[in-house]
Amino acid sequence: MTVLVGTVERLSFRNESTGYTVIRIRPEGSADTETAVGFMPDIHLGERLRLTGEWVNHAEYGRQFSVQAYEQMAPATLQGIEKYLGSGLIKGIGPMTAKRIVKAFGLDSLKIIEEEPERLLEVEGIGEKKAQVIVKAVAEQKAIQEVMVYLQGAGVTPGLAAKIYRYYGDQSLNVVRENPFRLADEVFGIGFKTADRLAQQLGMDPEAPERIRAGIRYFLDRESDEGHIYALRPDFCNKVAEELATTEDKVDGIIGILVESGEIVAEQGTDGERLYLSAYYNGEFGVAQRLVALLRNYRKLDLPREDLLSSVASATLAPEQKEAINAAFRYGVLVITGGPGTGKTTTVKGIIQAFHAMNCRVLLAAPTGRAAKRLAEATGEEAKTIHRLLEYGYSPEKGSGFSRNEDQPLVADVVIIDEVSMVDLLLFHNLLKAMPLGARLIMVGDSDQLPSVGAGNVLRDLIESGVVPVVRLRTIFRQARESKIVTNAHRINQGLLPEIKNAKDFYYIKAEDPEEITRQILQLVAVRLPKYLHCDPIEDIQVISPMRRTVTGVEHLNRILQERLNPFRENRPEVRIGGVAFRIGDKVMQIRNNYNKMVFNGDVGRIVRIDPEDRQLEVLYPEPGGNRGVIYESEELDELVLSYAVSVHKSQGSEYPVVVMPITTQHFMMLQRNLLYTAVTRAKKMVVLVGTWKALAMAVKNNRIEARRTALAQRLAELFRGAEHHQGTLEMGV
């Protein structure tokens, strides 16, 4: 074995889930840096390391030191101490403050911070308030280190240890010892499997009821992550028993206890016994009840005058658009669906115009900030996100929640929801709870797009129920017919290959191997398209990929696009989490609902500020009323990912001037018609597909839609049955 001693100059990559790390290290006595790789989950910039391992030659990355073991040593040089302190490890100390501390205390800097922190007041620029922040951060760092030592071997990285400590504080170790499965329920980023490793390390009986209970909840959550509202009991028991290496009888017994306690609801259905997490059962039943109430109770209005239906904003209305406006007056609940170019926006404008003529109060909303902003711009009316419409907030008495509900409904005669295909079951339930009886609910969306990221299949279920009136817009308007984006989207939806000959806004670039595809995409985004269209490569061009991993997947594309469009620059702040660097100007996406910050899964913004001393960054998110800045602490950065490239699911509800999409047989698992259709319909001005015609043909031919287990359509039909007046299903269009 070879020993290498040196200072960490750069953290090139870290996998937060495994601790695998790539660093650039400057060996002592050398002016050059070397690459070292291995399991090093708890090291920091500027740290002095004693590495044990071997030199190897990697086929792609060349000479590197493969680390078998490492030992952390205090930085031995002034430069090393300064870099270590300025790395963002301690809140309140950034590069400038680190420089001043080292200038004041020299080689004793670390010792004084730890043992005599009151002396920090001797440093220029550090007052009492800042000194207190630093002292608290140092104490926190020690406590987190204790948690790390205790959790060693369980796969808990420093980032997760910090989350555990910040959630439970001084009770962290007690919680972990008593019931590590609480972490899976309560701490974002720690799943059942990590908690299970901890439990095994602590010697918990694999047959312990706490473990089986946590496993059942975890696998039911997994079902909802895949879009399902419920699981079927026999199959579910078998799967959980297999995963937990226990018996089906024991799993079934714990399920019975959870059913008795109300955590799980069991119900016999046409497909077998269904198991729901209580929130999803209440959501599904509540949605059906509220819809039936809205269908039966609404204020009767005369149909709009013919002169109001003749045109909207100088656009002549097609027969089915006029019928949609009439239907909005005729029914308490209405779905308007249609593909691109069929005039959904013009129809909505006509509905608003007609209801305003009747002095009705109309509210507009959409699931995301971008979709709401687009709706506001298209209609000239105020539009909000659904969360803002329902006035989500926090109060010390009630905690977090929606202010608009059954007790305080929305003040409206008509509520119009756009991009309703994105709305999941639980959000839809909260919306319906806030709908006043007598008001109308009009939902607009494209039922051929992918279903919501969250659980449920609301739009399709409403249509399939046969209860909710539906107007289908099928006429593609002349102006839209001139766009190959629109006509090819409809061709794809019909199982036909896109036409690319003589197209000015729809291109196919042939590239066989994945590496060539990524090279072409990089050149298109960074050079060719901005030059051709005079557009901004970050703001106006969106790469959409069917998969997360692989060479042409989202993660790899994000890395290479960031390095090309927003590379590392000396003396420009950046923060790192794992192997990802966040820089000012980066396009980023929120990947979980954060109700306190009012940012949600799929929201995209730009980083506008990074504060290395306070270990914060600010992201600007577009909203209908103007852009809104959101502050993230360093421990919250795992809620963000780069979004130069996004998955097709995450692109829903957004519209981009230009869409670039790799299409390769590497993605054969995800080559589906509705996935390709959804990606293509995100583009406003241009689509560029890069890959093989074979892969494109595979996607177009594959009309397999993964069914989601939901009972909303059936439940809605059953509840509506027996009503005195059956609304029926309205199918219009040509």
Side-chain angles (χ1 to χ4, degrees), residues 15-310:
N15 184 317
E16 284 293 321
S17 60
T18 65
Y20 179 81
T21 305
V22 179
I23 61 172
R24 294 293 291 178
I25 187 168
R26 189 183 302 279
E28 292 188 348
S30 172
D32 299 322
T33 59
E34 301 281 1
T35 298
V37 302
F39 180 80
M40 299 176 281
D42 189 26
I43 61 170
H44 304 279
L45 199 63
E47 208 163 26
R48 191 162 165 252
L49 299 178
R50 187 177 190 273
L51 307 177
T52 304
E54 298 289 351
W55 289 104
V56 297
N57 273 308
H58 189 279
E60 186 175 351
Y61 300 110
R63 171 183 157 96
Q64 53 186 221
F65 193 78
S66 178
V67 178
Q68 303 300 313
Y70 72 97
E71 180 186 343
Q72 291 162 296
M73 306 158 74
T77 66
L78 294 177
Q79 186 182 16
I81 293 169
E82 186 180 316
K83 190 164 279 190
Y84 177 72
L85 288 175
S87 67
L89 175 67
I90 301 170
K91 188 168 185 175
I93 302 180
M96 291 303 297
T97 303
K99 190 183 287 289
R100 293 183 187 127
I101 290 172
V102 171
K103 184 180 178 183
F105 303 129
L107 295 174
D108 292 330
S109 296
L110 296 175
K111 183 181 176 185
I112 285 169
I113 289 171
E114 196 165 319
E115 297 176 7
E116 303 175 79
E118 66 278 0
R119 289 190 60 192
L120 286 168
L121 293 169
E122 299 172 22
V123 178
E124 178 195 350
I126 297 183
E128 279 194 31
K129 190 176 177 183
K130 189 162 189 172
Q132 285 172 5
V133 169
I134 295 170
V135 169
K136 183 183 175 187
V138 169
E140 246 185 42
Q141 203 61 39
K142 275 187 182 177
I144 291 166
Q145 203 64 37
E146 282 180 29
V147 175
M148 269 302 298
V149 169
Y150 186 76
L151 301 180
Q152 263 182 354
V156 176
T157 61
L160 289 183
K163 277 183 172 287
I164 293 169
Y165 177 77
R166 290 191 177 102
Y167 194 90
Y168 299 111
D170 295 338
Q171 292 300 306
S172 297
L173 293 181
N174 289 337
V175 170
V176 171
R177 290 187 189 107
E178 288 168 14
N179 183 5
F181 292 107
R182 276 185 64 185
L183 305 181
D185 286 337
E186 297 169 356
V187 182
F188 173 72
I190 296 184
F192 170 78
K193 293 191 174 178
T194 301
D196 200 28
R197 282 197 298 271
L198 273 173
Q200 289 172 31
Q201 182 182 312
L202 294 168
M204 181 179 276
D205 181 359
E207 303 284 317
E210 297 94 332
R211 177 175 186 260
I212 297 173
R213 176 191 169 281
I216 289 166
R217 282 193 59 84
Y218 166 71
F219 287 108
L220 270 180
D221 270 329
R222 277 263 299 270
E223 295 286 324
S224 64
D225 287 343
E226 291 169 13
H228 305 300
I229 299 299
Y230 62 83
L232 293 171
R233 188 164 187 163
D235 295 342
F236 183 73
C237 286
N238 177 268
K239 181 168 83 172
V240 174
E242 191 175 311
E243 291 281 351
L244 299 184
T246 186
T247 66
E248 289 185 43
D249 285 345
K250 284 184 177 167
V251 172
D252 202 54
I254 299 290
I255 286 173
I257 294 169
L258 292 172
V259 169
E260 283 180 24
S261 70
E263 284 188 61
I264 290 176
V265 175
E267 181 186 64
Q268 192 62 41
T270 53
D271 49 356
E273 189 176 6
R274 298 165 178 166
L275 296 176
Y276 291 82
L277 288 171
S278 59
Y280 287 104
Y281 177 82
N282 294 334
E284 191 171 81
F285 194 78
V287 163
Q289 276 189 319
R290 299 291 296 183
L291 279 173
V292 169
L294 289 170
L295 281 162
R296 291 177 181 166
N297 302 280
Y298 60 94
R299 178 184 160 207
K300 300 290 190 294
L301 292 170
D302 293 332
L303 294 181
R305 301 189 316 271
E306 183 59 35
D307 61 309
L308 286 173
L309 299 178
S310 59

Side-chain angles (χ1 to χ4, degrees), residues 383-404:
K384 298 178 179 179
T385 63
I386 296 173
H387 285 88
R388 289 208 175 277
L389 181 74
L390 302 182
E391 297 176 21
Y392 187 90
Y394 171 83
S395 70
E397 305 81 34
K398 297 181 180 178
S400 300
F402 294 105
S403 297
R404 294 291 179 178

